[in-house]
Amino acid sequence: MKHLLKLSDWSTEEIKETLDLADKLKAEKKAGIEHHILKGKTLGMIFEKSSTRTRVSFEVGIHDLGGSGLFLSSRDLQIGRGEPIEDTARVLSRYVDLIMIRTFEQEKVEKLAEYGSIPIINGLTDYCHPCQVLADLMTIREHKGKTEGLKLCYIGDGNNMTNSLIVGGIKMGMEVAVACPKGYEPDAELMKWASENGKFTCTEDILEAAKGADVLYTDVWASMGQEAEAEERKKIFKNYQINNSVMAVANEKAMVMHCLPAHRGEEITAEVLEAHANEIFDEAENRLHAQKAVMVKCME
Ligand code: CP
Ligand code: NVA
C-alpha cells in the first residue's frame, strides 16, 4: 500500500504508471467493460471544505471499482468537535480500507497517514492538490499526445494548485512558467526544487510567462478559507487573467485549463473559458478516471 499525501512523494515512474492506468480505465469504461479491482473495499471521504468534482469522482470511482464510499463531513464527525486526528486515524483504519481527505492543513493529512494503518489520499489542502494535477497531466497527454517539452504557464495565485502543478509539470518534463503578483508566489522550497530539476520561472509579467505556452492554466484568486480576503484580492489580482491578450502571445494551438470552479470575469474571461470548454470539461471528467487509478495504485 502507499499514500498520496503530495505529488513530490511520487516518482515520475509512479506518476506515469498511474496515468497509464487512468487511460486504460477510461477506455474500458467507455467500452462498457467493468473492473471490480477494489471489490468489497470501503473508501472513507473526509471533507472539511466544499467539493463537487472531488467528492463525486471519488464516490462514483470507488463504486465503478466494485467498492463503496462513505461521505464523512467534518460538520458531522467528531473531528468537527475537536476529536484529535490521531484518534480519528486509528478508529477509521479499523472500519474502512482507504481514506481520502480534504482539509486545510497539510500537517493533518500527514498525521492521518502517520497514525492510521491504511492508504491516505490528499483530496486538497491549502498546500497542494495532487489528485487534480494527475487528472490535469492525463488531460494534457490526451490533447497534446505528450507532456515532455511542452511549456505550461500558470497565471494567478501561487496556491495549492500552483504547488502541485509545478511538481507534476517538472516531473513530466514540462517547462513551467508562473505569473503571479509579488507576495503571492508558490511555495519557496518547491520553486527552488523546480529550478534545480527543470526549466522553471516565476515572474510578475503575465505576457512573459504566457509567451509560447502550450498549456495555459489558472485558478481562483481567493481559495477556500480565504473568503475574507476576496475583495482585497480582486484588486491585487485584477490583471492576472487568461483573456484574449494572453491567448495572443501563447502558442496558437495552446490549450486552456482550469481546475474549476471558475469565476468568469476574474481569473478567466467567459469567452476564453467557453472557447476551451472542451479541454476544461475533459479535465473535469478525467478526475474520475485519474482518481480510480490513484485508489488502485494506493491499494496495491
Ligand atoms: N477541482 C476540484 O477539486 O473541484 P471540487 O472543489 O469541486 O472538488
Ligand atoms: N485553489 C482552490 C482550488 C479548488 C479546487 C481552492 O483551494 O479553493
Side-chain angles (χ1 to χ4, degrees), residues 50-54 102 129 132 259-260 287:
S50 303
S51 173
T52 298
R53 281 143 289 266
T54 305
R102 166 168 288 196
H129 197 1
Q132 176 69 51
C259 56
L260 303 175
R287 290 296 304 277

PDB file of all heavy atoms in Angstrom, residues 50-54 102 129 132 259-260 287, ligand 1:
ATOM      1  N   SER A  50     -15.871  22.437   0.988  1.00  0.00           N
ATOM      2  CA  SER A  50     -16.842  22.056  -0.043  1.00  0.00           C
ATOM      3  C   SER A  50     -16.177  21.297  -1.185  1.00  0.00           C
ATOM      4  O   SER A  50     -14.962  21.397  -1.377  1.00  0.00           O
ATOM      5  CB  SER A  50     -17.482  23.301  -0.654  1.00  0.00           C
ATOM      6  OG  SER A  50     -18.068  24.064   0.342  1.00  0.00           O
ATOM      7  N   SER A  51     -16.974  20.596  -1.969  1.00  0.00           N
ATOM      8  CA  SER A  51     -16.442  19.908  -3.146  1.00  0.00           C
ATOM      9  C   SER A  51     -17.568  19.424  -4.046  1.00  0.00           C
ATOM     10  O   SER A  51     -18.584  18.933  -3.554  1.00  0.00           O
ATOM     11  CB  SER A  51     -15.607  18.703  -2.713  1.00  0.00           C
ATOM     12  OG  SER A  51     -15.237  17.946  -3.843  1.00  0.00           O
ATOM     13  N   THR A  52     -17.371  19.539  -5.338  1.00  0.00           N
ATOM     14  CA  THR A  52     -18.259  18.888  -6.314  1.00  0.00           C
ATOM     15  C   THR A  52     -17.484  17.764  -6.993  1.00  0.00           C
ATOM     16  O   THR A  52     -17.811  16.585  -6.867  1.00  0.00           O
ATOM     17  CB  THR A  52     -18.753  19.908  -7.371  1.00  0.00           C
ATOM     18  OG1 THR A  52     -19.513  20.912  -6.698  1.00  0.00           O
ATOM     19  CG2 THR A  52     -19.619  19.233  -8.428  1.00  0.00           C
ATOM     20  N   ARG A  53     -16.402  18.140  -7.709  1.00  0.00           N
ATOM     21  CA  ARG A  53     -15.660  17.185  -8.506  1.00  0.00           C
ATOM     22  C   ARG A  53     -14.977  16.097  -7.670  1.00  0.00           C
ATOM     23  O   ARG A  53     -15.029  14.914  -7.996  1.00  0.00           O
ATOM     24  CB  ARG A  53     -14.577  17.899  -9.351  1.00  0.00           C
ATOM     25  CG  ARG A  53     -15.137  18.559 -10.582  1.00  0.00           C
ATOM     26  CD  ARG A  53     -14.427  19.865 -10.850  1.00  0.00           C
ATOM     27  NE  ARG A  53     -14.818  20.835  -9.849  1.00  0.00           N
ATOM     28  CZ  ARG A  53     -15.825  21.711 -10.021  1.00  0.00           C
ATOM     29  NH1 ARG A  53     -16.446  21.769 -11.145  1.00  0.00           N
ATOM     30  NH2 ARG A  53     -16.186  22.542  -9.047  1.00  0.00           N
ATOM     31  N   THR A  54     -14.306  16.502  -6.608  1.00  0.00           N
ATOM     32  CA  THR A  54     -13.532  15.526  -5.834  1.00  0.00           C
ATOM     33  C   THR A  54     -14.478  14.519  -5.184  1.00  0.00           C
ATOM     34  O   THR A  54     -14.279  13.307  -5.263  1.00  0.00           O
ATOM     35  CB  THR A  54     -12.670  16.251  -4.797  1.00  0.00           C
ATOM     36  OG1 THR A  54     -11.871  17.218  -5.497  1.00  0.00           O
ATOM     37  CG2 THR A  54     -11.773  15.298  -4.038  1.00  0.00           C
ATOM     38  N   ARG A 102     -10.053  15.953   2.462  1.00  0.00           N
ATOM     39  CA  ARG A 102      -9.902  17.348   2.011  1.00  0.00           C
ATOM     40  C   ARG A 102      -9.962  18.219   3.259  1.00  0.00           C
ATOM     41  O   ARG A 102     -10.952  18.225   3.990  1.00  0.00           O
ATOM     42  CB  ARG A 102     -11.020  17.728   1.043  1.00  0.00           C
ATOM     43  CG  ARG A 102     -11.115  19.221   0.826  1.00  0.00           C
ATOM     44  CD  ARG A 102     -12.012  19.606  -0.318  1.00  0.00           C
ATOM     45  NE  ARG A 102     -11.400  19.280  -1.591  1.00  0.00           N
ATOM     46  CZ  ARG A 102     -11.809  19.777  -2.771  1.00  0.00           C
ATOM     47  NH1 ARG A 102     -12.824  20.595  -2.824  1.00  0.00           N
ATOM     48  NH2 ARG A 102     -11.192  19.448  -3.882  1.00  0.00           N
ATOM     49  N   HIS A 129      -2.776  20.015  -4.254  1.00  0.00           N
ATOM     50  CA  HIS A 129      -3.955  19.301  -4.781  1.00  0.00           C
ATOM     51  C   HIS A 129      -3.465  18.248  -5.787  1.00  0.00           C
ATOM     52  O   HIS A 129      -3.664  18.359  -6.993  1.00  0.00           O
ATOM     53  CB  HIS A 129      -4.891  20.313  -5.448  1.00  0.00           C
ATOM     54  CG  HIS A 129      -6.285  19.810  -5.671  1.00  0.00           C
ATOM     55  ND1 HIS A 129      -6.709  18.544  -5.297  1.00  0.00           N
ATOM     56  CD2 HIS A 129      -7.378  20.413  -6.238  1.00  0.00           C
ATOM     57  CE1 HIS A 129      -7.987  18.407  -5.617  1.00  0.00           C
ATOM     58  NE2 HIS A 129      -8.417  19.513  -6.191  1.00  0.00           N
ATOM     59  N   GLN A 132      -5.931  16.499  -8.446  1.00  0.00           N
ATOM     60  CA  GLN A 132      -6.305  17.346  -9.576  1.00  0.00           C
ATOM     61  C   GLN A 132      -5.193  17.332 -10.630  1.00  0.00           C
ATOM     62  O   GLN A 132      -5.456  17.225 -11.827  1.00  0.00           O
ATOM     63  CB  GLN A 132      -6.545  18.782  -9.087  1.00  0.00           C
ATOM     64  CG  GLN A 132      -6.856  19.758 -10.201  1.00  0.00           C
ATOM     65  CD  GLN A 132      -8.212  19.526 -10.853  1.00  0.00           C
ATOM     66  OE1 GLN A 132      -9.214  19.428 -10.173  1.00  0.00           O
ATOM     67  NE2 GLN A 132      -8.244  19.425 -12.165  1.00  0.00           N
ATOM     68  N   CYS A 259      -9.018  24.123 -12.945  1.00  0.00           N
ATOM     69  CA  CYS A 259      -9.444  23.002 -12.099  1.00  0.00           C
ATOM     70  C   CYS A 259     -10.928  23.089 -11.757  1.00  0.00           C
ATOM     71  O   CYS A 259     -11.539  22.088 -11.416  1.00  0.00           O
ATOM     72  CB  CYS A 259      -8.595  22.955 -10.833  1.00  0.00           C
ATOM     73  SG  CYS A 259      -8.636  24.497  -9.905  1.00  0.00           S
ATOM     74  N   LEU A 260     -11.485  24.311 -11.862  1.00  0.00           N
ATOM     75  CA  LEU A 260     -12.885  24.594 -11.510  1.00  0.00           C
ATOM     76  C   LEU A 260     -13.089  24.437  -9.997  1.00  0.00           C
ATOM     77  O   LEU A 260     -12.397  23.626  -9.400  1.00  0.00           O
ATOM     78  CB  LEU A 260     -13.861  23.700 -12.276  1.00  0.00           C
ATOM     79  CG  LEU A 260     -13.765  23.751 -13.813  1.00  0.00           C
ATOM     80  CD1 LEU A 260     -14.715  22.708 -14.427  1.00  0.00           C
ATOM     81  CD2 LEU A 260     -14.115  25.145 -14.354  1.00  0.00           C
ATOM     82  N   ARG A 287     -10.947  13.648 -13.738  1.00  0.00           N
ATOM     83  CA  ARG A 287     -10.840  13.436 -12.291  1.00  0.00           C
ATOM     84  C   ARG A 287     -11.308  12.030 -11.953  1.00  0.00           C
ATOM     85  O   ARG A 287     -10.706  11.335 -11.131  1.00  0.00           O
ATOM     86  CB  ARG A 287     -11.693  14.464 -11.515  1.00  0.00           C
ATOM     87  CG  ARG A 287     -11.192  15.903 -11.551  1.00  0.00           C
ATOM     88  CD  ARG A 287      -9.842  16.081 -10.892  1.00  0.00           C
ATOM     89  NE  ARG A 287      -9.805  15.614  -9.517  1.00  0.00           N
ATOM     90  CZ  ARG A 287     -10.205  16.325  -8.462  1.00  0.00           C
ATOM     91  NH1 ARG A 287     -10.655  17.557  -8.620  1.00  0.00           N
ATOM     92  NH2 ARG A 287     -10.116  15.820  -7.234  1.00  0.00           N
TER      93      ARG A 287
HETATM   94  N1   CP B   1     -11.287  20.931  -8.807  1.00  0.00           N
HETATM   95  C1   CP B   1     -11.824  20.471  -7.666  1.00  0.00           C
HETATM   96  O1   CP B   1     -11.160  19.922  -6.800  1.00  0.00           O
HETATM   97  O2   CP B   1     -13.168  20.674  -7.562  1.00  0.00           O
HETATM   98  P1   CP B   1     -14.046  20.491  -6.273  1.00  0.00           P
HETATM   99  O3   CP B   1     -13.665  21.557  -5.298  1.00  0.00           O
HETATM  100  O4   CP B   1     -15.458  20.640  -6.773  1.00  0.00           O
HETATM  101  O5   CP B   1     -13.808  19.118  -5.697  1.00  0.00           O
END
